[in-house]
Amino acid sequence: MSLSVVILAAGKGTRMKSQKPKVLHTISGKPMLFHIIDEASKLSDDITVVLSHQFDHVKGEIEKSYKNIKIHKQDTQNFPGTGGALKGLKLSSKRALILNGDMPLITQESLEQLANSTAPIAMTILNLEDPNGYGRVIIKDGSVEEIVEQKDCTQEQLAIQSVNAGVYALDTELLNRFIPQIDNNNAQKEYYLTDIIKMAKESNLTIEPIVVNAKDYMGVNSKVDLANAEAIMQERIKNRLMLEGVIMRNPQSIYIDCRASFIGETVLENGVTIEGPCEIENSHIKAYSVIEESKISNSSIGPMAHIRPKSTIRDSHIGNFVEVKKSTLNDVKAGHLSYLGDSTIESGTNIGAGVITCNYDGKAKYQTKIGKNVFIGSDSQLVAPVTIEDNTMIAAGTTVTENVPSGALAISRVKQKIVNSFFHKFFKK
Ligand code: UD1
Ligand code: MG
């Protein structure tokens, strides 16, 4: 079936109280608008996003992540409102699916339910305990008459609990016919897309009402809605991952980015945060560790470890209060209190407690290379750029400033002095 998808995202989003355009606020690491584009892309490759508020900014963000998304600029000065959004838009397919940019929980399945309708117009209805904020759907003798926006409702209409979810599937020809006829004679002086329902009714066209799931069609208008949508998305992500084999202790306390992927059987303890597109395979991530944009396999991490972007950790043990950044570790033990940045560390190497790579001189970042079977004593500093070759030892407390050749010991310490009876002389009691 040929289908053109239109996503309305030109509104100001005033209720978000934010400098950031509403549709770019993220849910589980991805902008709301991108969640919708990704789901809609499973139904159609003809997707248009309507923009106006912060036009260049939102357009730029879309173009950074997608190649084939069309952009339509709404003239919000002269034609504000969801109906104004479609003025001047020409669609190529016979059928159109109109979505809102602030519905990040929409899924392919929920959209298919609508796209499968063959009625001239299909619209979505939510039955809500609290219909506040939504357009009310006026139904007479089982058929839809019109949608009345809250601000235009009579007292009687305000009590109606069947509301417009704001998503429609219809013949493109009807859009071409009705959009030019929409006026702005209403409380908000806006061009309401919802007016097409009344126009269709007056033209004796069949309007198919489709009752949809409130979780899938939830609109995000405020930061409270944003937090509620995040909770639902997290639940979906974690349930999917558990069914795929991930073990989670106290899942409510865990956060996982929607771009993260897992292979095999990984354990995530309570309070773990997985940010960005991580790949984690057969590992144990202990309590309160944070992993960002990294690859981890067959390793144990934490508790309370911080793995920062572009790290690759294989067959290793990373203990508490260890920070790793942009480093590759292969069969390494770093059990306690270390910073390992811009480094590569090879097989069989042990990093003692408190070892620090000094990777930054205030201007630039430098690399630390540590070979195989290296034993680095506690509290050593490795001043980069520096290379420590295979089969070497670094004595505890050493400041390594020069490369260490294979087989050697590096030691840099002030010789210890013993002053006998000093304590008793000093405190004289
Ligand atoms: C809209 C519906 C309402 C429905 C609700 C469901 C209208 C008139 N009302 O109201 O019946 O119950 O959605 O969530 O359609 N937008 C534009 N250009 C504009 C204004 C808005 O593109 O000039 C976009 C927004 O960016 C947003 C979407 O359209 O993504 C909906 O706008 P919003 O202001 O949230 O409409 P609601 O008041 O929620
Ligand atoms: Mg809305």
Side-chain angles (χ1 to χ4, degrees):
M1 181 189 52
S2 84
L3 180 72
S4 293
V5 176
V6 183
I7 304 172
L8 307 184
K12 278 213 179 95
T14 318
R15 289 168 279 178
M16 279 304 272
K17 303 238 164 58
S18 176
Q19 297 294 324
K20 192 197 267 203
K22 174 161 90 173
V23 294
L24 294 185
H25 278 272
T26 57
I27 304 266
S28 300
K30 187 162 80 175
M32 290 203 270
L33 177 60
F34 294 3
H35 280 284
I36 302 160
I37 291 177
D38 291 344
E39 290 307 300
S41 297
K42 296 172 186 168
L43 271 73
S44 167
D45 51 15
D46 177 24
I47 298 177
T48 303
V49 180
V50 181
L51 300 175
S52 174
H53 178 66
Q54 298 203 40
F55 180 84
D56 292 326
H57 179 31
V58 184
K59 181 172 181 274
E61 289 301 313
I62 293 172
E63 286 169 352
K64 262 192 241 165
S65 297
Y66 298 94
K67 279 201 189 75
N68 299 321
I69 303 295
K70 296 173 192 162
I71 307 284
H72 174 71
K73 190 169 188 173
Q74 179 184 357
D75 175 2
T76 35
Q77 279 295 340
N78 295 308
F79 300 107
T82 49
L86 297 174
K87 277 204 187 284
L89 179 65
K90 289 277 163 286
L91 298 173
S92 56
S93 303
K94 277 191 118 118
R95 198 75 179 160
L97 184 64
I98 316 288
L99 310 177
N100 285 349
D102 62 358
M103 293 182 165
L105 300 175
I106 208 93
T107 60
Q108 176 188 5
E109 296 74 37
S110 52
L111 291 178
E112 267 164 0
Q113 192 189 359
L114 191 66
N116 288 340
S117 165
T118 52
I121 294 196
M123 63 165 292
T124 45
I125 294 183
L126 296 170
N127 290 317
L128 300 180
E129 282 274 300
D130 174 13
N132 191 37
Y134 287 89
R136 309 297 200 275
V137 183
I138 314 296
I139 301 171
K140 226 190 236 165
D141 306 327
S143 86
V144 175
E145 297 274 307
E146 62 175 323
I147 298 167
V148 183
E149 288 308 296
Q150 170 149 323
K151 287 184 179 152
D152 301 293
C153 279
T154 62
Q155 277 305 321
E156 246 165 64
Q157 289 170 333
L158 283 177
I160 296 172
Q161 289 170 309
S162 292
V163 304
N164 172 29
V167 176
Y168 319 85
L170 73 170
D171 291 337
T172 305
E173 178 265 315
L174 295 181
L175 277 182
N176 297 340
R177 198 190 326 164
F178 293 144
I179 294 294
Q181 295 177 28
I182 296 176
D183 61 34
N184 64 347
N185 296 327
N186 54 55
Q188 303 187 82
K189 294 277 165 282
E190 283 188 3
Y191 293 81
Y192 290 161
L193 177 58
T194 44
D195 284 357
I196 64 171
I197 298 299
K198 195 177 180 182
M199 291 173 183
K201 178 74 191 172
E202 284 164 1
S203 304
N204 290 318
L205 294 164
T206 308
I207 302 158
E208 187 186 353
I210 298 181
V211 176
V212 292
N213 176 335
K215 273 191 181 173
D216 291 353
Y217 282 83
M218 171 189 174
V220 172
N221 294 307
S222 69
K223 284 173 179 158
V224 174
D225 294 339
L226 186 71
N228 290 335
E230 178 71 272
I232 296 171
M233 185 68 82
Q234 278 297 302
E235 193 185 354
R236 285 184 189 171
I237 291 170
K238 288 181 278 192
N239 286 348
R240 170 175 56 80
L241 291 172
M242 286 188 277
L243 292 172
E244 285 172 16
V246 178
I247 296 172
M248 298 189 200
R249 183 164 86 189
N250 193 7
Q252 289 81 358
S253 69
I254 296 172
Y255 170 85
I256 306 178
D257 192 293
C258 64
R259 297 161 294 176
S261 61
F262 289 79
I263 303 169
E265 190 171 36
T266 282
V267 178
L268 302 178
E269 291 187 4
N270 47 300
V272 164
T273 296
I274 310 288
E275 296 269 11
C278 293
E279 281 175 42
I280 302 179
E281 180 177 5
N282 293 326
S283 291
H284 188 152
I285 316 295
K286 295 185 185 169
Y288 303 106
S289 295
V290 177
I291 319 268
E292 302 168 352
E293 292 176 40
S294 290
K295 290 185 184 172
I296 293 171
S297 62
N298 303 313
S299 297
S300 72
I301 309 285
M304 289 168 284
H306 188 186
I307 312 300
R308 292 173 49 205
K310 300 201 175 110
S311 297
T312 302
I313 299 174
R314 256 177 267 118
D315 303 315
S316 295
H317 164 66
I318 302 294
N320 50 188
F321 307 110
V322 174
E323 175 179 347
V324 179
K325 187 216 86 176
K326 215 176 177 181
S327 291
T328 301
L329 278 63
N330 186 10
D331 180 24
V332 170
K333 287 193 176 72
H336 341 258
L337 302 148
S338 268
Y339 172 58
L340 304 169
D342 302 302
S343 58
T344 56
I345 310 178
E346 293 183 45
S347 179
T349 287
N350 187 87
I351 307 288
V355 170
I356 304 288
T357 53
C358 309
N359 62 327
Y360 184 49
D361 64 1
K363 281 190 193 162
K365 304 269 164 71
Y366 301 95
Q367 292 288 320
T368 299
K369 284 190 179 158
I370 305 172
K372 297 193 179 86
N373 307 319
V374 175
F375 181 89
I376 303 194
S378 297
D379 199 30
S380 295
Q381 303 104 55
L382 316 176
V383 182
V386 73
T387 298
I388 299 170
E389 292 185 2
D390 295 349
N391 308 317
T392 51
M393 296 182 82
I394 310 295
T398 294
T399 303
V400 178
T401 52
E402 283 167 35
N403 294 347
V404 180
S406 181
L409 163 76
I411 179 165
S412 76
R413 280 184 203 159
V414 175
K415 202 169 175 4
Q416 184 173 318
K417 198 166 133 187
I418 297 288
V419 182
N420 285 319
S421 301
F422 182 87
F423 179 92
H424 304 291
K425 281 180 215 155
F426 189 76
F427 289 108
K428 281 190 195 130
K429 257 194 186 167

